[in-house]
């Protein structure tokens, strides 16, 4: 069962990494949150992949800045919160019929908005590769 869990975490981490890579060239995808998610998945499943991600000259600084308490770039915050509310708003208005579930989703969106906005905003970047 532990191997299955590690395998799923590696898959989720890799998907997050790919989305983070796409975020470098696509303006609607924020890079930093996806790289942080990839790091969180890899640290629980593969020391080798986690170390590779941290030591990567392009991706490592994103994670390093967050872990060092330097924060998340303003652009990543704006895009992350915007996409969160667009997707939750669509889901609440058009997909979910139950009022209690709608309220729950809105509370979850509010919590994650608060969490993202309370993070320190990164003033200066080490590398300026795409969207952070």
């Amino acid at each position: 069962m532990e191997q299955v869990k590690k395998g799923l975490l590696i898959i989720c981490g890799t998907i997050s990494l790919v989305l983070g890579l796409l975020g470098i060239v696509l303006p609607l995808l924020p890079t930093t949150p996806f790289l942080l998610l990839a790091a969180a998945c890899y640290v629980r499943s593969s020391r080798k992949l986690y170390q590779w991600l941290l030591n990567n000259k392009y991706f490592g600084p994103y994670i390093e800045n967050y872990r060092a308490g330097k924060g998340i770039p303003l652009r990543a915050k704006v895009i992350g919160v915007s996409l969160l509310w667009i997707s939750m708003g669509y889901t609440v208005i058009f997909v979910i019929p139950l009022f209690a579930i709608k309220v729950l989703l809105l509370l979850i969106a509010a919590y994650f908005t608060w969490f993202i906005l309370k993070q320190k905003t990164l003033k200066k970047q080490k590398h300026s590769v795409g969207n952070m």
Side-chain angles (χ1 to χ4, degrees), residues 23-33 72-82 121-122 125 130-132:
I24 292 172
V25 294
L26 297 175
L28 290 179
L29 288 176
T31 299
T32 303
I72 299 172
L74 180 61
R75 184 173 183 180
K77 286 183 172 187
V78 170
I79 292 171
V81 170
S82 298
T121 301
L122 180 64
Q125 311 173 108
N131 307 329
M132 288 222 247

Side-chain angles (χ1 to χ4, degrees), residues 36-87:
L36 292 174
L37 180 58
C41 291
Y42 288 162
V43 77
R44 289 167 179 78
S45 60
S46 170
R47 181 176 300 277
K48 183 178 177 181
L49 289 172
Y50 180 67
Q51 287 302 316
W52 172 82
L53 190 60
L54 290 182
N55 294 324
N56 185 285
K57 72 177 185 175
Y58 298 109
F59 311 129
Y62 290 92
I63 298 163
E64 180 184 318
N65 286 333
Y66 179 80
R67 288 179 55 198
K70 295 178 184 175
I72 299 172
L74 180 61
R75 184 173 183 180
K77 286 183 172 187
V78 170
I79 292 171
V81 170
S82 298
L83 288 175
L84 171 69
W85 281 100
I86 289 168
S87 62

Side-chain angles (χ1 to χ4, degrees), residues 1 3-4 22 28 60 68 70 82-84 90 111 119 124:
M1 193 61 170
Q3 289 301 97
V4 172
L22 289 173
L28 290 179
K70 295 178 184 175
S82 298
L83 288 175
L84 171 69
Y90 178 83
Y111 170 78
Q119 302 301 311
K124 187 175 179 186

